[in-house]
């Protein structure tokens, strides 16, 4: 057939020729950017939570060791130098 025999509406590309309200397009773009930002923030929060737990564990370890070493030194069971040497050996 000849093109002129068909309705011109059949040849129309709605993605190009149809008008969309700017708000409807911007909503999609805003949500895409927002989703990406939220994902990055969630990963960063997770990483910081893990780092915080590691630091808290280290603080607890050092605090309890310091407390024990103070009690031992107060009771003159061993010298402070011996405690420090044990601490170095323990960390290895």
């Amino acid at each position: 057939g000849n093109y002129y025999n068909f309705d011109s509406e059949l040849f129309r590309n709605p993605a190009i020729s149809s008008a969309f309200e700017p708000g409807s397009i911007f909503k999609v773009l805003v949500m895409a950017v927002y989703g990406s930002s939220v994902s990055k923030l969630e990963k960063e929060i997770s990483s910081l939570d893990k780092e915080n737990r590691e630091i808290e564990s280290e603080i607890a370890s050092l605090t309890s060791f310091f407390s024990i070493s103070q009690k031992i030194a107060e009771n003159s069971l061993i010298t402070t130098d011996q405690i420090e040497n044990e601490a170095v050996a323990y960390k290895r």
Side-chain angles (χ1 to χ4, degrees):
N2 297 327
Y3 286 109
Y4 57 87
N5 289 336
F6 294 96
D7 186 13
S8 63
E9 195 66 27
L10 294 173
F11 302 107
R12 193 171 150 255
N13 184 345
I16 297 171
S17 59
S18 295
F20 294 99
E21 293 180 29
S24 61
I25 293 173
F26 289 128
K27 287 176 192 171
V28 174
L29 295 176
V30 168
M31 292 307 291
V33 170
Y34 177 74
S36 174
S37 297
V38 168
S39 177
K40 288 178 185 176
L41 288 174
E42 287 174 342
K43 287 178 184 176
E44 188 173 338
I45 288 170
S46 176
S47 174
L48 290 173
D49 282 343
K50 180 181 177 192
E51 186 177 336
N52 189 44
R53 286 190 303 274
E54 291 170 356
I55 291 170
E56 286 175 346
S57 176
E58 182 70 18
I59 289 170
S61 172
L62 293 173
T63 302
S64 62
F65 183 79
F66 180 73
S67 175
I68 292 169
S69 65
Q70 274 186 322
K71 294 293 181 189
I72 291 172
E74 286 172 6
N75 295 312
S76 300
L77 298 175
I78 58 175
T79 66
T80 308
D81 290 337
Q82 289 172 320
I83 293 170
E84 289 174 2
N85 290 337
E86 290 297 321
V88 169
Y90 176 75
K91 287 189 176 183
R92 289 183 193 163

